[in-house]
């Protein structure tokens, strides 16, 4: 959704050519549901690999599991990996433009979702957390939603970012923490 490339001639962000291929599986395992996804993002535009303004190809993997622990309380966990291809070319391209900060070759993200249903399942309490051990940053999404009627839903939540470095995936948003309220009418 966001442009990942940059055209030095026009000074504008752009969408470099890319192909993607992936597969996923979701199956009951033990007392819950497990899922596995794999994808390959093929950045095939000329210069990819060493041009710092064109993203490198990446292999991505996601492994997850969700289970209802007790009635109306479920826990979901996921492990996500982004593995940059031609990392040496990427590093040399960054050095060519004097970039001091480079991405890691492999980025890891752990997610956890806690969901509790109360008041005859009309109130949903949720905490969705993301933590990247490779970037040492995190993102927390707490929310509570109240289904007042079949048509009306009231929600309160927030988005909170933590990170030591402003160039990491979640760390770049540390000044964008927010709280929100929503009223939704469905018909």
């Amino acid at each position: 959704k966001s442009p990942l490339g940059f055209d030095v001639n026009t000074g504008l962000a752009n969408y470099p050519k890319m192909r993607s291929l992936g597969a996923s599986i979701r199956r009951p395992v033990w007392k819950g549901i497990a899922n596995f996804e794999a994808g390959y993002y093929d950045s095939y535009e000329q210069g990819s690999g060493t041009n710092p303004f064109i993203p490198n190809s990446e292999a991505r993997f996601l492994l997850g599991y969700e289970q209802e622990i007790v009635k109306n309380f479920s826990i979901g966990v996921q492990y996500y990996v982004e593995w940059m291809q031609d990392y040496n070319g990427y590093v040399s391209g960054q050095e060519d433009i004097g970039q001091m900060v480079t991405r890691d070759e492999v980025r890891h993200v752990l997610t956890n979702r806690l969901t509790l249903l109360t008041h005859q399942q009309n109130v949903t309490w949720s905490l969705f957390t993301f933590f990247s051990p490779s970037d040492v940053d995190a993102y927390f999404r707490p929310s509570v939603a109240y289904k007042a009627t079949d048509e009306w839903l009231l929600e309160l939540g927030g988005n909170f970012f933590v990170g030591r470095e402003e160039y990491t995936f979640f760390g770049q948003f540390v000044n964008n923490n927010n709280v929100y309220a929503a009223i939704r009418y469905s018909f």
Side-chain angles (χ1 to χ4, degrees):
K1 295 181 182 179
S2 298
L4 295 176
F6 183 76
D7 186 332
V8 292
N9 297 323
T10 64
L12 299 174
N14 66 8
Y15 296 89
K17 294 178 183 178
M18 184 195 80
R19 295 179 286 237
S20 63
L21 176 67
S24 65
I25 186 169
R26 187 173 176 89
R27 305 223 6 117
V29 172
W30 194 43
K31 296 179 181 180
I33 298 173
N35 63 293
F36 175 74
E37 299 177 21
Y40 187 74
Y41 288 65
D42 181 16
S43 180
Y44 66 95
E45 189 162 313
Q46 184 174 358
S48 66
T50 57
N51 184 338
F53 303 110
I54 300 173
N56 284 30
S57 297
E58 288 185 345
R60 297 183 181 186
F61 306 96
L62 176 73
L63 179 63
Y65 183 76
E66 184 175 357
Q67 180 180 329
E68 186 175 49
I69 302 301
V70 295
K71 186 176 181 181
N72 295 322
F73 179 65
S74 62
I75 296 177
V77 294
Q78 294 184 16
Y79 175 61
Y80 172 70
V81 176
E82 292 176 352
W83 178 23
M84 183 187 299
Q85 308 297 293
D86 192 13
Y87 187 72
N88 292 336
Y90 162 77
V91 171
S92 70
Q94 294 296 304
E95 291 170 352
D96 290 345
I97 62 169
Q99 185 73 348
M100 299 301 292
V101 177
T102 58
R103 283 183 45 192
D104 291 332
E105 181 177 6
V106 179
R107 179 173 175 260
H108 307 269
V109 179
L110 301 167
T111 65
N112 181 32
R113 177 176 229 145
L114 307 174
T115 306
L116 174 65
L117 304 175
T118 61
H119 300 85
Q120 284 105 19
Q121 298 186 345
N122 288 318
V123 178
T124 303
W125 305 82
S126 177
L127 175 62
F128 201 1
T129 60
F130 301 76
F131 171 67
S132 173
S134 52
D135 288 347
V136 191
D137 61 0
Y139 171 34
F140 301 92
R141 288 179 45 190
S143 69
V144 59
Y146 171 57
K147 187 176 179 183
T149 68
D150 286 342
E151 294 84 17
W152 290 99
L153 179 75
L154 310 172
E155 185 175 8
L156 180 64
N159 296 286
F160 304 99
F161 301 91
V162 178
R164 294 186 308 204
E165 306 294 343
E166 64 182 30
Y167 57 81
T168 61
F169 192 80
F170 299 124
Q172 66 185 317
F173 300 113
V174 293
N175 295 322
N176 294 317
N177 295 334
N178 62 73
V179 175
Y180 66 87
I183 300 173
R184 183 173 300 151
Y185 178 77
S186 302
F187 56 93

